[in-house]
Amino acid sequence: IGSAVEKLGQLTGYTFDWIPMPDIHVHNGRDVGIIAQEVEKVLPELVSDRENGYKAVKYEKLTALLIQAVNEQQKQIEELTKRVGWLENHV
């Protein structure tokens, strides 16, 4: 997954209250999530179209993106740590 950190940066997490819709879902109360249409613009393979006409995020597939983003950030941290160490030794 290329540019995972950049892709994650294009997504936003939200809190929301479920609207009762007995024929559509059984959820209620406060929840957290992301908007399928936003995800679809960045990673369309993580969104499905349900028979009821609503879009759904395949949350389990976000795990791979999150792992890759952490790996990218770790590489950046290691590179910056090396630079700081080099600067400390040469100042």
Side-chain angles (χ1 to χ4, degrees):
I1 302 172
S3 305
V5 172
E6 181 182 331
K7 289 174 182 167
L8 277 179
Q10 296 177 55
L11 304 178
T12 302
Y14 298 93
T15 57
F16 62 93
D17 295 309
W18 284 97
I19 298 170
M21 300 175 81
D23 295 334
I24 305 296
H25 64 78
V26 296
H27 307 290
N28 60 40
R30 194 130 182 96
D31 210 341
V32 297
I34 53 180
I35 295 176
Q37 289 80 354
E38 289 181 4
V39 176
E40 193 171 41
K41 290 177 185 176
V42 180
L43 291 159
E45 60 272 25
L46 270 60
V47 176
S48 63
D49 293 309
R50 293 186 174 163
E51 291 181 13
N52 61 17
Y54 287 88
K55 294 186 178 293
V57 175
K58 301 174 188 174
Y59 281 94
E60 71 280 3
K61 294 188 178 281
L62 279 173
T63 304
L65 179 65
L66 294 168
I67 289 169
Q68 184 60 30
V70 169
N71 288 338
E72 287 179 13
Q73 287 185 333
Q74 187 60 40
K75 285 181 185 177
Q76 290 174 341
I77 291 167
E78 289 169 3
E79 289 173 10
L80 291 171
T81 301
K82 287 179 187 175
R83 287 184 191 176
V84 168
W86 184 88
L87 285 172
E88 288 175 348
N89 292 325
H90 291 87
V91 175

